[in-house]
Amino acid sequence: MARLVAAEMGAALGQPVIVDNRAGAGGSLGSDVVAKSPTDGYTILMATVSTHAINPALYAKLPYDPIRSFAPISLIARVGGVVVVQASSPYKSLRQLADAMRRDPGKLTFGSQGVGGVSHLMGEMFNTQAHVQSTHVPYKGAAPALQDLLAGNIDIVYDTVPALLPHIQSGKLRALAVTTPQRLTNLPETLTSSEAGFPEFLVATWNALLAPANTPQAVVDRLNGAALLALKNPAMRRRMDELSAEAVGSSPAELARFMKDEVKRWAPVVRASGARVE
């Protein structure tokens, strides 16, 4: 997502925008670099639901405040989730899956890319909202979890649509529901979680651009304008559609409200999961 936006924003700003990957601690290391950068607008962050909504509740201590350490620029995109089982699974619907969990609490297993990740918390959210029990199996990354699902060693995976779409389209996985308010173009026959009987099970990852706190408003406004212009590009929107991502765009004030709501929304989910990183 950062690379898609960088190319278009560079054109709007009249200078190259370079993507500098800073992996580690669920994105917290890269976020901290930006939080402590000069407030001249030349170093900005592609924030995610993990860095600014999940990590504040997951980590005992973050080196930055998700709200006060940053100046919002624009919400960029939202990406919906999907619940999948192996193609040969006996479960044809989300309701059937929940009923099976209810009959045999803890018997069914769901894999994730690791404790505290989005796929883990999606599973815990479904357990809570459907009033059922299933057993979490954490892996060191999404790929091993997917391999074990395809091999029949676990029962379920919850993840973003782009991560699972090729296997759904190939027929290796069955999509039971998408966690978006509306059906997706790439999965037109798959019910939404609401249509499947679980209207509160709505999950989307997101990307947003942030600058360090106290960046001058004129700089923030210029970056916001470049981001919104990038998101209007038809080629950009087509590429996002291919990734099952919704191009959004927002004002800085709208993003500020959205981020505060997301922090409040994910905190109880993390607490209920029992996940904690000291």
Side-chain angles (χ1 to χ4, degrees), residues 96-121:
Q96 288 182 358
L97 190 69
D99 289 343
M101 291 177 180
R102 202 168 285 114
R103 285 194 303 271
D104 295 297
K107 181 180 179 180
L108 295 189
T109 56
F110 70 95
S112 79
Q113 79 267 47
V115 173
V118 172
S119 59
H120 171 207
L121 297 178

Side-chain angles (χ1 to χ4, degrees), residues 9-261:
M9 283 187 67
L13 293 168
Q15 56 186 303
V17 177
I18 300 167
V19 177
D20 180 5
N21 291 315
R22 299 291 184 100
S28 297
L29 297 185
S31 299
D32 188 41
V33 168
V34 176
K36 294 178 171 59
S37 292
T39 60
D40 55 11
Y42 281 90
T43 304
I44 60 178
L45 177 70
M46 181 63 83
T48 69
V49 63
S50 293
T51 63
H52 280 70
I54 293 174
N55 286 357
L58 179 63
Y59 285 79
K61 186 176 181 180
L62 280 181
Y64 58 88
D65 184 282
I67 304 300
R68 292 194 295 270
S69 298
F70 299 90
I73 298 171
S74 176
L75 186 62
I76 297 298
R78 280 189 289 255
V79 181
V82 61
V83 185
V84 297
V85 295
Q86 195 185 40
S88 60
S89 170
Y91 310 114
K92 303 291 198 303
S93 70
L94 201 57
R95 178 65 68 186
Q96 288 182 358
L97 190 69
D99 289 343
M101 291 177 180
R102 202 168 285 114
R103 285 194 303 271
D104 295 297
K107 181 180 179 180
L108 295 189
T109 56
F110 70 95
S112 79
Q113 79 267 47
V115 173
V118 172
S119 59
H120 171 207
L121 297 178
M122 284 179 68
E124 298 292 358
M125 184 184 291
F126 184 70
N127 284 346
T128 299
Q129 295 183 354
H131 305 290
V132 297
Q133 292 181 34
S134 58
T135 300
H136 175 226
V137 182
Y139 291 82
K140 293 182 179 180
L146 180 58
Q147 290 169 1
D148 260 11
L149 178 65
L150 292 169
N153 297 324
I154 55 175
D155 300 299
I156 314 150
V157 161
Y158 306 81
D159 210 339
T160 59
V161 173
L164 299 172
L165 186 62
H167 299 283
I168 298 169
Q169 292 177 330
S170 71
K172 294 179 180 178
L173 296 179
R174 177 185 301 135
L176 300 185
V178 293
T179 61
T180 52
Q182 292 84 33
R183 293 196 189 190
L184 299 178
T185 303
N186 288 337
L187 294 172
E189 301 303 317
T190 303
L191 299 181
T192 66
S193 50
S194 181
E195 290 173 325
F198 302 92
E200 300 301 316
F201 185 47
L202 295 173
V203 184
T205 62
W206 47 264
N207 298 82
L209 287 179
L210 309 176
N214 301 316
T215 296
Q217 190 61 46
V219 174
V220 170
D221 290 342
R222 187 177 180 202
L223 291 169
N224 175 267
L228 295 182
L229 190 62
L231 291 171
K232 290 178 181 178
N233 184 295
M236 163 80 79
R237 299 186 80 88
R238 283 195 300 271
R239 182 61 181 140
M240 285 199 179
D241 284 342
E242 291 169 2
L243 295 172
S244 297
E246 175 194 3
V248 185
S250 72
S251 69
E254 288 168 338
L255 175 55
R257 290 191 294 270
F258 173 80
M259 288 173 57
K260 289 177 182 177
D261 288 343

